[in-house]
């Protein structure tokens, strides 16, 4: 009877020990999560600010039936407005669109880290060769060319992470839209650079979603 009693007693002690260890792990995880949430709430990360500074048009040609060849170099500045939070840009692609249709290939921006209150400037080439244009957009494009003004959107699609001290968050989707109105013909307001290239000073704030 004594041996059986000892076995039962040891079993109870083992179960209590496991419960304490499990409870300790849960408490540690809970404290860590609360600490991270408090730090996050206190610092309140602000989305990066983007500005489309200028766009240089090297080519913008429509060929029959509905193919578009275009080549731009855009200058986009990115500012991290946070005092204590850094931003990792893990994957960033830039492309142009016309009336909700992508008209260029995606150009990748090299991964980079942006410190507190830092400003980065990117100047990628964005281009497309014989890109098919939807028939309804081809009609609008012809009308816009006749009017001398073509509305474009330069978009940024990527993944970012926030850095607070030694803590680095998971990845968030970055989506940026920058409006640009390109003038052609008699309404051209850009600066001729030679070889039919024209530079447009835009300085347009971009909409940002993270």
């Amino acid at each position: 009877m004594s041996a059986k009693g000892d076995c039962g007693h040891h079993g109870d002690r083992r179960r209590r020990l496991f419960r304490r260890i499990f409870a300790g792990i849960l408490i540690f995880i809970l404290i860590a999560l609360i600490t991270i949430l408090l730090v996050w709430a206190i610092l309140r990360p602000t989305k990066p600010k983007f500005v489309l500074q200028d766009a240089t048009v090297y080519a913008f040609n429509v060929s029959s039936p509905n193919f578009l060849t275009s080549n731009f170099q855009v200058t986009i500045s990115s500012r991290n407005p946070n005092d204590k939070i850094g931003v990792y840009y893990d994957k960033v692609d830039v492309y142009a669109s016309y009336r909700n249709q992508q008209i260029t290939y995606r150009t990748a921006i090299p991964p980079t880290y942006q410190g507190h209150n830092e400003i980065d400037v990117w100047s990628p080439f964005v281009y497309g060769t014989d890109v098919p244009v939807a028939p309804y957009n081809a009609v609008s494009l012809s009308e816009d060319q006749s009017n001398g003004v073509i509305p474009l959107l330069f978009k940024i699609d990527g993944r970012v992470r926030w850095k607070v001290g030694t803590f680095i968050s998971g990845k968030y989707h970055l989506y940026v839209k920058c409006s640009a109105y390109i003038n052609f013909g008699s309404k051209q307001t850009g600066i001729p650079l030679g070889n039919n290239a024209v530079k447009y000073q835009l300085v347009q704030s971009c909409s940002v979603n993270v």
Side-chain angles (χ1 to χ4, degrees), residues 6 21 28 61 63 90 93 110 142 144 154 204:
D6 288 342
I21 293 173
F28 174 78
N61 303 311
S63 58
D90 291 329
D93 292 329
S142 177
D144 289 338
F154 291 100
Q204 295 283 340

Side-chain angles (χ1 to χ4, degrees), residues 98-143:
Y98 172 77
R99 300 191 183 277
N100 297 317
Q101 180 183 352
Q102 182 175 333
I103 58 171
T104 67
Y105 313 127
R106 289 173 175 248
T107 298
I109 302 295
T112 185
Y113 172 75
Q114 190 174 55
H116 317 146
N117 295 306
E118 282 189 354
I119 297 176
D120 291 331
V121 178
W122 303 328
S123 296
F125 281 90
V126 183
Y127 64 94
T129 303
D130 289 334
V131 177
V133 178
Y136 55 88
N137 275 341
V139 174
S140 298
L141 183 58
S142 177
E143 293 175 352

Side-chain angles (χ1 to χ4, degrees), residues 12 19 32-33 35 58 71 76 118 133-134 138 142 153 163 167:
D12 289 339
R19 282 198 294 268
L33 288 174
T35 301
Y58 290 94
N71 188 0
I76 300 172
E118 282 189 354
V133 178
S142 177
L153 280 178
K163 183 177 185 292
F167 169 75

Side-chain angles (χ1 to χ4, degrees), residues 17-94:
L17 178 61
F18 288 149
R19 282 198 294 268
R20 288 174 182 171
I21 293 173
F22 184 68
I25 293 172
L26 283 179
I27 291 171
F28 174 78
I29 293 173
L30 183 61
I31 291 174
L33 288 174
I34 291 174
T35 301
I36 291 171
L37 288 173
L38 283 174
V39 171
W40 199 256
I42 292 170
L43 295 177
R44 286 177 296 181
T46 302
K47 295 181 294 187
K49 308 294 184 182
F50 289 83
V51 175
L52 176 62
Q53 302 286 356
D54 57 60
T56 300
V57 182
Y58 290 94
F60 196 89
N61 303 311
V62 181
S63 58
S64 181
N66 296 316
F67 293 102
L68 175 62
T69 295
S70 60
N71 188 0
F72 310 93
Q73 184 179 21
V74 294
T75 302
I76 300 172
S77 65
S78 166
R79 181 173 68 88
N80 176 9
N82 297 287
D83 294 326
K84 298 179 181 179
I85 300 175
V87 184
Y88 282 102
Y89 293 93
D90 291 329
K91 176 179 171 57
V92 178
D93 292 329
V94 183

Side-chain angles (χ1 to χ4, degrees), residues 183-202:
N183 300 316
F184 290 91
S186 61
K187 294 186 177 181
Q188 179 179 300
T189 57
I191 303 170
L193 300 180
N195 295 323
N196 296 321
V198 180
K199 184 174 185 177
Y200 296 86
Q201 300 289 346
L202 301 170

